[in-house]
Amino acid sequence: MKLLKLAHGRLLPALEEAQEEVSLEDWRANPQAHAGATALVISNDVPLADVRCDLSGFSVIVLDFPTFKDGRAYSQARLLRERYAYTGEIRARGEVLRDQLSFMARCGFDGFEFAGAAGDAEAALEEFSFAYQPAADGALPVCRRRIAAAEAA
Amino acid sequence: MYRYDEFDATLVAERVAQFRGQVARRLSGALSEDEFKPLRLMNGLYLQLHAYMLRVAIPYGTLSSKQMRRLAHVARKYDKGYGHFTTRQNIQYNWPALVDTPDILDDLADVEMHAIQTSGNCIRNVTSDPYAGATADEIEDPRPYAEMIRQWSTFHPEFSFLPRKFKIAVTASDHDRAAVKVHDIGLRLYPNEAGEAGFEVLVGGGLGRTPYVGHVIRRFLPKEHLLSYLEAILRVYNTQGRRDNLYKARIKILVNSEGADRFADLVEAEWTKIKGRGVDLPAEEAARIRAYFAPPDFEDLSDRSEKLEAARAADEDFARWLRVNTKPHKAPGYAIVNISLKSIGGVPGDISDMQMEAVADLAEAYSFDEIRATHEQNLVLPHVKKDDLHAVWSALGGAGLATANIGLVSDIIACPGLDYCTLANARSIPIAQSIAERFADLGVQEDLGELKIKISGCINACGHHHVGHIGILGVDKKGEEFYQITLGGSGAEDASLGEIAGRGLSSTQVVDAVEKLVGFYRGNRQDGERFLDTYRRLGAGPFKEALYEAA
Ligand code: SF4
């Protein structure tokens, strides 16, 4: 398992820095005991609307894909970025497959625990030039590009 | 109709390239079948009993002649010379080879078609009224909204791995020809008291093993907020829908376990937070999409065509076809033509490559180049001049496409059943064929009036048996094919779920059973009543008695 990180449009292998992980439940039960934790692990059945606490102290939030078919963490990642303005790393863990990477990146993931080849993963992010809908990656949706193109013409 | 610009064209081309890569990785063994499965499913490729099946999207059922000719080409080149129109306005090919599928998708992309999201646990191809833009009873053309939904839902990064598949239908008429009440989301465009058009939003309808009619969760949604409201519904479903049990994963289960009111509150709470944050289309873009659906240049005609009246008087077969298969158009002097894909003894929804070419030629010559697919597995030429109806009828007859049975007893919806489907308990197609043959006389059929028979080969209900006036469900009884009858269902504006009539029947008994039910109706109907009306007036009891008497 390698850790890949997305930065400035490139997806590259990263050095695995030591993180002290804590689960959301443990941290909530006793924040003092986990004062040194740097990575928060949130399971995918937690409604993020309930997580009304300051997450900015964590440099990583780990979200889970127990199987690739279970897509709840896509919503969690978007909420962390778009509603809770979390700017640290959001890391995908679990069954993280090549053909899901671009969806993950669009939803705000920028760390991936990925078993396949790094070059393959980067190619996966380059398969589509644009997207119809806005998400957490800040990409300009097609409708805005159309308007911009019409204005430029 | 909508035309791709460079953005749409690029995305579809990139999708084909991506799929070509995925197929290559599967063929080389780099992907296991398990890993490949969700990828091929998102491109409409299923593994069936005998072969792969490719399902091609026809967004909201609208096709040009050029696209229809390309579908004929695919049938000829990659399949056995025919295709099959489905209950979701799509077309399926039953015999493509895996290695050919990227080439098929390339050929389709040339004419702005694709197989994106025709299967898998994602937002499926959106469906709408096949008479959109033609019928007098709509408040406006619903297709621009369907196209907006198509674009918004295409490769949606958050909603591509939902608990289950997700189907959205849109109508803009009081006559519901899109079955909006039995979709995951049904949208009905209507004018409020102030005269503004907005959507009534229904959620949680659906068939399958636990059928439900959808609940209204919002009485009036302003049109400009359509996409943000849909995004709110989908987010609630994606995060809270059940994933522990395949059969409880559809949104209808969530809506019914939470209760429609509480579910509506959850959606409303989410929507307040995302409204105005960029999901809804800018007004310029909505106008751009709407402009593609401007009405064609209808001629200024008198509503009465002397040519038509002369032909009608001269030929009773033509006159019957006019009565049964054509519908009123909003432009004077025009008509909506239904093309039945239910020839007596044929396979419901099947069409040969030559027939597709014939339909394409007729659309080009007589219907502003437009064709529609219906959820009842038929086709429509939406804008035909009354003066031309006789010529169209003659040409359809020459192609074996002029059966005058739209909405009648032999216009049967049937799922593929045991002839193709791995999940089936029983065959559907031969039952449909036997019933149609039993009632072959078109005069008798017309006299019986509207009668919707729907057949599913198993409880997954792809043949929509729950909403058939007469529904037929294939069940397995000690390894033998048996059929259960349901009565009184409807998928239209008067939606209801059929009730089980009684014990199961063998395949030979089932055709007799339909005949008995129809006979009882004929003996007891009152002026102008349809089968369904008589059933609703008299209740299930007498029909059940008629069905099981001395059987
Ligand atoms: S209803 Fe059952 S048998 Fe028919 S197509 Fe669907 S899954 Fe197959």
Side-chain angles (χ1 to χ4, degrees):
Chain A
M1 191 65 61
K2 283 181 295 293
L3 178 66
L4 304 180
K5 286 197 189 186
L6 178 64
H8 312 295
R10 303 242 25 215
L11 184 61
L12 297 169
L15 290 178
E16 181 77 70
E17 333 88 56
Q19 301 284 355
E20 187 186 325
E21 293 189 0
V22 61
S23 72
L24 180 66
E25 302 79 70
D26 290 352
W27 180 61
R28 271 183 167 164
N30 191 351
Q32 260 66 47
H34 301 283
T38 54
L40 183 68
V41 181
I42 302 180
S43 84
N44 78 348
D45 52 5
V46 174
L48 276 191
D50 298 352
V51 189
R52 295 196 180 281
C53 37
D54 185 10
L55 302 172
S56 60
F58 293 100
S59 53
V60 178
I61 292 179
V62 180
L63 300 178
D64 187 30
F65 291 88
T67 84
F68 71 86
K69 292 177 199 150
D70 186 338
R72 284 176 275 195
Y74 293 107
S75 290
Q76 290 179 313
R78 279 194 73 181
L79 287 169
L80 286 173
R81 291 282 186 239
E82 295 172 52
R83 190 158 306 160
Y84 303 106
Y86 177 73
T87 54
E89 179 188 327
I90 301 181
R91 188 177 293 182
R93 173 172 291 172
E95 197 168 16
V96 177
L97 303 176
R98 177 197 189 281
D99 294 283
Q100 276 79 54
L101 293 173
S102 70
F103 291 134
M104 291 176 184
R106 293 220 62 218
C107 288
F109 285 94
D110 52 1
F112 307 88
E113 295 182 357
F114 182 66
D120 214 24
E122 191 164 33
L125 293 193
E126 285 161 8
E127 286 173 335
F128 291 100
S129 307
F130 13 75
Y132 281 117
Q133 58 297 96
D137 59 349
L140 202 61
V142 163
C143 59
R144 303 271 168 201
R145 289 172 189 263
R146 282 178 172 137
I147 292 168
E151 276 165 5
Chain B
M1 57 189 274
Y2 189 72
R3 296 302 313 266
Y4 283 8
D5 67 1
E6 58 184 304
F7 295 104
D8 303 298
T10 304
L11 284 170
V12 169
E14 288 175 342
R15 172 59 149 212
V16 178
Q18 179 192 48
F19 188 59
R20 194 176 284 284
Q22 290 163 349
V23 169
R25 281 186 281 141
R26 173 70 193 113
L27 291 171
S28 77
L31 282 176
S32 69
E33 171 53 27
D34 247 20
E35 290 167 337
F36 181 55
K37 186 175 168 190
L39 306 175
R40 66 169 164 76
L41 283 181
M42 266 190 264
N43 286 286
L45 193 63
Y46 283 81
L47 199 50
Q48 291 206 312
L49 267 185
H50 315 288
Y52 280 104
M53 178 271 276
L54 179 68
R55 184 182 292 153
V56 176
I58 302 171
Y60 36 93
T62 295
L63 279 167
S64 68
S65 301
K66 189 174 169 195
Q67 291 174 324
M68 185 61 106
R69 289 198 183 97
R70 189 55 58 97
L71 294 178
H73 156 87
V74 169
R76 245 186 329 267
K77 181 162 176 195
Y78 303 103
D79 204 291
K80 296 184 175 178
Y82 63 95
H84 175 79
F85 281 94
T86 75
T87 55
R88 295 207 73 256
Q89 302 181 311
N90 295 318
I91 186 169
Q92 291 177 183
Y93 295 102
N94 281 316
W95 307 96
L98 178 58
V99 285
D100 287 338
T101 51
D103 291 340
I104 299 176
L105 295 181
D106 253 339
D107 287 357
L108 292 170
D110 276 352
V111 294
E112 306 179 7
M113 296 188 83
H114 57 74
I116 294 164
Q117 290 169 211
T118 55
S119 51
N121 292 339
C122 52
I123 301 168
R124 300 289 188 86
N125 182 37
V126 55
T127 55
S128 188
D129 185 347
Y131 298 171
T135 179
D137 61 29
E138 72 186 7
I139 68 155
E140 62 178 284
D141 191 329
R143 291 173 301 162
Y145 305 98
E147 174 60 26
M148 292 172 202
I149 296 170
R150 181 191 77 82
Q151 296 191 20
W152 161 78
S153 63
T154 296
F155 314 139
H156 199 296
E158 185 179 345
F159 306 133
S160 288
F161 294 90
L162 296 168
R164 279 292 269 139
K165 58 187 168 185
F166 202 91
K167 299 176 181 179
I168 302 177
V170 195
T171 185
S173 165
D174 287 338
H175 271 295
D176 181 5
R177 287 168 292 258
V180 299
K181 292 186 178 173
V182 290
H183 277 74
D184 295 289
I185 294 178
L187 298 165
R188 185 174 71 89
L189 196 61
Y190 75 105
N192 67 4
E193 277 130 42
E196 297 149 11
F199 292 102
E200 177 183 62
V201 183
L202 292 97
V203 174
L207 303 175
R209 75 185 57 206
T210 28
Y212 286 109
V213 172
H215 299 276
V216 175
I217 63 160
R218 192 164 229 283
R219 292 246 160 255
F220 189 84
L221 176 70
K223 296 190 290 189
E224 61 274 20
H225 292 308
L226 175 62
L227 298 184
S228 60
Y229 195 78
L230 294 179
E231 186 136 319
I233 297 173
L234 266 296
R235 181 168 287 162
V236 169
Y237 173 53
N238 190 45
T239 52
Q240 303 191 31
R242 284 181 65 172
R243 291 175 186 264
D244 57 327
N245 180 338
L246 185 67
Y247 301 117
K248 303 211 157 134
R250 294 290 287 268
I251 196 173
K252 62 191 174 187
I253 304 291
L254 178 64
V255 172
N256 284 282
S257 69
E258 294 287 335
D261 290 344
R262 174 156 156 73
F263 183 83
D265 290 345
L266 291 171
V267 171
E268 210 70 18
E270 182 61 32
W271 185 46
T272 344
K273 295 194 182 112
I274 60 176
K275 188 165 47 168
R277 302 205 49 185
V279 181
D280 289 316
L281 288 183
E284 303 97 294
E285 173 66 359
R288 186 192 75 91
I289 291 177
R290 214 172 289 119
Y292 284 105
F293 297 91
D297 283 327
F298 294 123
E299 287 172 43
D300 224 344
L301 298 173
S302 143
D303 201 38
R304 186 180 160 85
S305 156
E306 297 309 329
K307 199 172 158 191
L308 171 65
E309 294 315 321
R312 186 204 302 270
D315 188 334
E316 170 50 25
D317 285 347
F318 176 55
R320 173 180 301 120
W321 178 83
L322 287 175
R323 289 192 302 272
V324 175
N325 283 28
T326 67
K327 301 291 170 206
H329 196 284
K330 65 175 161 196
Y334 285 83
I336 298 171
V337 168
N338 287 279
I339 301 172
S340 170
L341 300 184
K342 315 289 177 64
S343 64
I344 307 301
V347 176
D350 269 16
I351 181 169
S352 72
D353 61 326
M354 294 312 292
Q355 289 175 318
M356 288 189 236
E357 300 278 359
V359 171
D361 291 347
L362 287 172
E364 191 169 30
Y366 299 110
S367 183
F368 292 96
D369 216 24
E370 268 197 51
I371 303 157
R372 308 289 172 75
T374 79
H375 84 89
E376 300 196 313
Q377 304 181 282
N378 293 310
L379 296 174
V380 169
L381 297 175
H383 315 295
V384 179
K385 264 195 274 185
K386 288 185 174 176
D387 280 353
D388 295 333
L389 284 171
H390 191 265
V392 167
W393 173 73
S394 307
L396 286 173
L401 290 169
T403 313
N405 63 347
I406 294 295
L408 305 183
V409 60
S410 63
D411 185 5
I412 298 172
I413 291 185
C415 80
L418 199 54
D419 293 296
Y420 294 96
C421 178
T422 46
L423 304 170
N425 290 322
R427 286 168 300 167
S428 310
I429 294 167
I431 299 294
Q433 290 167 323
S434 310
I435 294 172
E437 278 159 3
R438 183 71 63 90
F439 293 93
D441 187 292
L442 291 171
V444 170
Q445 292 196 30
E446 190 187 356
D447 171 63
L448 291 173
E450 183 183 288
L451 177 43
K452 306 211 168 183
I453 299 184
K454 301 182 196 258
I455 310 175
S456 305
C458 79
I459 193 65
N460 286 325
C462 304
H464 302 176
H465 64 277
H466 299 293
V467 291
H469 299 178
I470 299 176
I472 300 174
L473 164 67
V475 289
D476 175 88
K477 208 161 132 189
K478 301 191 190 93
E480 263 190 78
E481 295 170 74
F482 258 73
Y483 298 88
Q484 202 172 63
I485 306 261
T486 53
L487 293 170
S490 167
E493 59 280 1
D494 57 352
S496 61
L497 301 170
E499 300 165 63
I500 294 171
R503 73 188 133 75
L505 303 167
S506 71
S507 57
T508 46
Q509 290 170 322
V510 87
V511 183
D512 295 337
V514 170
E515 198 167 27
K516 284 181 195 162
L517 289 165
V518 168
F520 179 79
Y521 153 70
R522 188 152 39 172
N524 291 278
R525 66 181 165 188
Q526 294 176 353
D527 33 72
E529 272 184 344
R530 303 170 300 164
F531 178 91
L532 184 63
D533 302 324
T534 306
Y535 177 83
R536 285 179 174 168
R537 177 170 56 80
L538 295 178
F543 279 86
K544 288 186 192 172
E545 259 170 54
L547 175 55
Y548 290 108
E549 67 171 9

